[in-house]
Every structure is written in structure tokens, then in C-alpha cells.
Amino acid sequence: EVQLVESGGGLVQPGGSLRLSCAASGFTFSDHYMDWVRQAPGKGLEWVGRTRNKAKGYTTEYAASVKGRFSISIDESKNSLYLQMNSLKAEDTAVYYCARHYDSSGDPRKGGIDVWGQGTMVAVSS
Amino acid sequence: DIQLTQSPSFLSASVGDRVTITCRASQGISSYVVWYLQKPGKAPKLLIYAASTLQSGVPSRFSGSGSGTEFTLTISSLQPEDFATYYCQQLNSYPLTFGGGTKVEIK
């Protein structure tokens, strides 16, 4: 079964750090682009960042709101994706989803997120 | 950054109704649009990618169209399980962005 399971969420003070983990199973992890998407309470979806697949060197992209504070990394040996979050702000409070990007054509623009984790809650508050 | 504006933001409809949701981009994005459905407390679900390609397993009552700056998601006959919030997303350029969402509720 294709599955993504996030962990690592919790309550953190403003200015603090947190690392989210996402364990993947049931598919060849290194073949896929992987995204982090968040959703603040009662709000819409916000794309946080992406790592391209192994063939593209696991290069990354970030939303402006998190660039310089968040970083995405991969551990192939553990089939895991990570989101390191530093200098956290109250506005980073959200459910964070790990997500697999799918495309059948080889062009990531012609695809979408077909597998989502269950989400992990991050609350930034003093 | 490319802004996506969905309309309406809220829609009240009955089972069996035909429903259309619009997503307008602030600049041309070819056909690089994705549509998702989200129910409360759940992760989103992929419905349509590349503006008009139905994801495997998604009922054929869902369809998508458009290119450039204007896109539509149509549900031909609304079913009880379709009451949810719908989001569009553009994949044309970074940063990737989502529309604000359209909540479809029961009339």
C-alpha cells in the first residue's frame, strides 16, 4: 500500500525549531517529486516547498513565506522526507502535509499530488 | 507570484445540480492546473490534473477545462459525497500556489 506517515509536530515557542518527518512506503521514493503543503486552522491550502526526485538531484524550491527558515531534506536509506523549520512564527501554525507528486508524462507540470499523509499539527505559541 | 482566484468562494446547491467552479490566474499558465477536493479533517484528494485529465478512480461526473488564465471544474450531477471544499493549484511556475477554495454546501 502506498502510504505517507508524518510525525514530529507539536507545540513550539516563537523563534524555536522543529523537524517534521515523513516516512514513505509502497513506492520507489527516489522516483518522485515530494511536496510539503500546510493548512492553517480554518484556512486554505498553502504550498510550502518541494524536493525534486533523485534524477534531478533532490533540488528544492520554497514558498517566499518560509524561504531561508525552512529546509527540505531526504534520507533515501530510510525512505524519509524531512522539513526542518527554524525561526518559527505564530503564522506558521498549521497542519503540515507531506505529499507525493505524480505525473505520467515526465513533465511535473502535467501532474498533481496523488498521495497525501494524514497531516501533523504544528502550533507556534508562547 | 501567480495568484489564483476562485469563484464563487461559497456555493449552495442540491443533489443532482450541475455545479461549475472557476479559477482565474493572474497570468497565463497554459494548462498546468490541478483540482482537489477536501472534506473536513481530511487530506485533499486529487480530482483533475493538466486542466482536464481525470485522475484514475475519480467519477466521470467531474470534468475540467480551460487554458491560459481561466479554468473551470464542473460537476455534472452533484452527489451527497461531493459536498466539500474544492481547490485549484497552478504548477506552471514556482512558487506553486493554490486558489482560496470553494466550499460547496447542501441547499
Side-chain angles (χ1 to χ4, degrees):
Chain A
E1 181 192 4
V2 173
Q3 198 172 9
L4 297 170
V5 178
E6 300 103 334
S7 59
L11 176 64
V12 61
Q13 292 189 337
S17 298
L18 208 58
R19 189 177 86 151
L20 305 184
S21 301
C22 171
S25 59
F27 65 98
T28 305
F29 184 69
S30 58
D31 286 349
H32 290 267
Y33 287 34
M34 300 292 295
D35 290 340
W36 286 96
V37 176
R38 69 184 181 183
Q39 188 167 36
K43 302 297 184 182
L45 302 172
E46 181 186 10
W47 177 79
V48 172
R50 161 175 287 182
T51 178
R52 296 180 180 85
N53 57 19
K54 185 175 182 177
K56 294 290 187 181
Y58 293 129
T59 52
T60 54
E61 302 284 349
Y62 298 95
S65 58
V66 306
K67 200 168 187 178
R69 300 188 299 124
F70 290 12
S71 65
I72 296 171
S73 61
I74 295 277
D75 185 335
E76 275 190 60
S77 67
K78 296 181 178 179
N79 263 14
S80 290
L81 175 74
Y82 303 97
L83 181 66
Q84 177 67 43
M85 304 185 294
N86 299 329
S87 303
L88 282 160
K89 307 174 182 179
E91 51 264 40
D92 295 319
T93 294
V95 172
Y96 284 73
Y97 293 102
C98 167
R100 184 183 84 167
H101 183 82
Y102 159 83
D103 72 82
S104 62
S105 65
D107 182 347
R109 297 171 300 177
K110 297 177 183 176
I113 296 173
D114 70 331
V115 180
W116 298 73
Q118 83 284 1
T120 188
M121 181 69 201
V122 173
V124 184
S125 175
S126 54
Chain B
D1 297 4
I2 295 173
Q3 313 300 323
L4 296 181
T5 303
Q6 286 184 235
S7 60
S9 54
F10 177 85
L11 187 161
S12 182
S14 301
V15 172
D17 283 354
R18 181 181 181 87
V19 167
T20 299
I21 298 168
T22 298
C23 177
R24 289 188 174 86
S26 57
Q27 62 191 77
I29 55 173
S30 186
S31 61
Y32 305 131
V33 161
V34 191
W35 289 96
Y36 302 94
L37 167 162
Q38 187 182 33
K39 295 186 179 180
K42 301 292 187 182
K45 173 186 173 183
L46 175 62
L47 297 175
I48 287 169
Y49 60 92
S52 61
T53 303
L54 200 65
Q55 170 68 351
S56 175
V58 173
S60 59
R61 64 181 179 272
F62 291 92
S63 64
S65 65
S67 66
T69 61
E70 187 156 330
F71 303 87
T72 59
L73 172 70
T74 299
I75 310 170
S76 60
S77 178
L78 200 64
Q79 298 302 300
E81 60 268 30
D82 301 337
F83 291 95
T85 300
Y86 294 81
Y87 294 94
C88 57
Q89 183 194 25
Q90 66 83 18
L91 303 183
N92 182 76
S93 60
Y94 296 104
L96 307 184
T97 47
F98 286 92
T102 296
K103 187 173 185 179
V104 178
E105 289 200 343
I106 301 172
K107 183 182 283 184

